[in-house]
């Protein structure tokens, strides 16, 4: 936290306000039984609000897949990181209260669901069933506002420069870049397992 605070202060002295926004996908496993319970998102989102966690939990494409989306509330990068850390810590406990057996925050959930889309459709499933491996992602959106509140990411190639800096430095920063086999396997799910129709995300 000290490093983030120092960086926030330094960027502010340069005349800019940094903003960070997280999106985190994960899945839940319920015990095997006939009826399939559903996650009560409104209960969890009320708890987020009561704890001043500026984020919202929403359902994702596959059943029992969810996404934590941080709110654009003007929170500092440090508060945003604290919000995400709290969400990751609390969600398994809150899901368990709703009957979830296991909370999974991984790049790939192997055999996470079953189904096959009907030919030519993007949202209607056929009667044919097969195991589907679910890819999950973490997305970080970064902005920098000038003194007038204008986002400078699009100005004079700054966004491209910033992206190059992240590429060059994140490998050495274990806090931001923790490679694992599943993260790379996620990229080949469509071609390797014939899931082009089912998996809409890149």
């Amino acid at each position: 936290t000290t490093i983030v605070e120092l960086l926030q202060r330094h960027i502010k002295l340069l005349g800019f306000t940094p903003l960070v926004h997280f999106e985190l996908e994960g899945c839940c496993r319920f015990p095997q039984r006939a009826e399939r319970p559903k996650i009560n998102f409104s209960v969890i989102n009320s708890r987020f609000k009561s704890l001043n966690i500026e984020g919202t939990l929403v359902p994702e494409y596959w059943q029992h897949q969810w996404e934590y989306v941080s709110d654009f509330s003007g929170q500092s990068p440090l508060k945003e990181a604290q919000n995400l850390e709290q969400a990751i810590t609390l969600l398994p406990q809150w899901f368990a209260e709703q009957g979830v057996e296991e909370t999974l925050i991984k790049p790939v959930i192997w055999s996470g669901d079953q189904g096959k889309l009907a030919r030519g459709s993007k949202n209607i499933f056929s009667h044919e069933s097969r195991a589907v491996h679910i890819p999950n992602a973490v997305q970080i959106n970064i902005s920098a506002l000038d003194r007038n509140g204008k986002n400078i990411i699009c100005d004079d190639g700054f966004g491209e420069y910033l992206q190059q800096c992240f590429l060059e430095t994140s490998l050495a920063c274990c806090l931001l870049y923790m490679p694992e086999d599943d993260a790379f396997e996620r990229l080949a799910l469509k071609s390797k397992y014939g899931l082009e129709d089912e998996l809409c995300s890149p």
Side-chain angles (χ1 to χ4, degrees):
T1 58
T2 306
I3 293 170
V4 177
E5 285 175 343
L6 287 171
L7 285 170
Q8 283 178 178
R9 205 173 304 151
H10 177 68
I11 293 168
K12 190 170 184 181
L13 287 172
L14 295 173
F16 301 103
T17 303
L19 296 174
V20 178
H21 175 262
F22 284 104
E23 294 178 21
L24 171 74
E25 292 175 348
C27 290
C28 290
R29 274 214 178 107
F30 284 88
Q32 293 294 324
R33 55 178 179 235
E35 66 176 74
R36 295 189 165 199
K38 290 192 174 178
I39 297 164
N40 190 330
F41 290 93
S42 60
V43 166
I44 291 172
N45 288 327
S46 294
R47 287 180 171 182
F48 280 157
K49 267 198 177 118
S50 69
L51 293 173
N52 194 28
I53 297 173
E54 294 136 323
T56 305
L57 196 73
V58 296
E60 253 299 344
Y61 182 80
W62 295 100
Q63 69 174 346
H64 307 318
Q65 186 187 27
W66 49 266
E67 183 176 29
Y68 168 84
V69 183
S70 59
D71 299 334
F72 286 105
S73 305
Q75 62 268 28
S76 69
L78 179 60
K79 179 63 166 74
E80 182 62 13
Q82 290 168 339
N83 287 340
L84 181 67
E85 182 184 24
Q86 278 188 285
I88 290 171
T89 303
L90 293 168
L91 281 173
Q93 175 190 331
W94 292 348
F95 284 145
E97 291 170 7
Q98 297 192 23
V100 169
E101 190 172 63
E102 191 177 10
T103 300
L104 303 162
I105 302 175
K106 296 180 175 182
V108 179
I109 308 303
W110 299 103
S111 301
D113 208 332
Q114 297 220 339
K116 182 166 173 53
L117 290 176
R119 187 176 296 280
S121 172
K122 291 193 175 177
N123 55 15
I124 299 172
F125 286 84
S126 69
H127 294 296
E128 188 182 342
S129 185
R130 68 174 173 191
V132 175
H133 312 308
I134 300 173
N136 290 312
V138 178
Q139 183 175 320
I140 305 172
N141 300 309
I142 297 172
S143 298
L145 308 181
D146 64 14
R147 287 187 174 93
N148 299 318
K150 181 187 170 200
N151 192 338
I152 64 163
I153 292 292
C154 300
D155 288 354
D156 300 320
F158 178 69
E160 290 89 342
Y161 171 74
L162 187 61
Q163 181 173 329
Q164 186 62 36
C165 289
F166 287 145
L167 289 171
E168 291 173 3
T169 60
S170 65
L171 195 57
C173 181
C174 64
L175 290 175
L176 295 176
Y177 187 86
M178 296 188 294
E180 56 180 285
D181 290 343
D182 275 357
F184 296 102
E185 194 71 20
R186 176 185 183 277
L187 301 174
L189 281 182
K190 286 184 179 184
S191 57
K192 197 169 179 181
Y193 298 96
L195 297 172
E196 188 71 35
D197 293 334
E198 280 76 7
L199 300 178
C200 303
S201 62

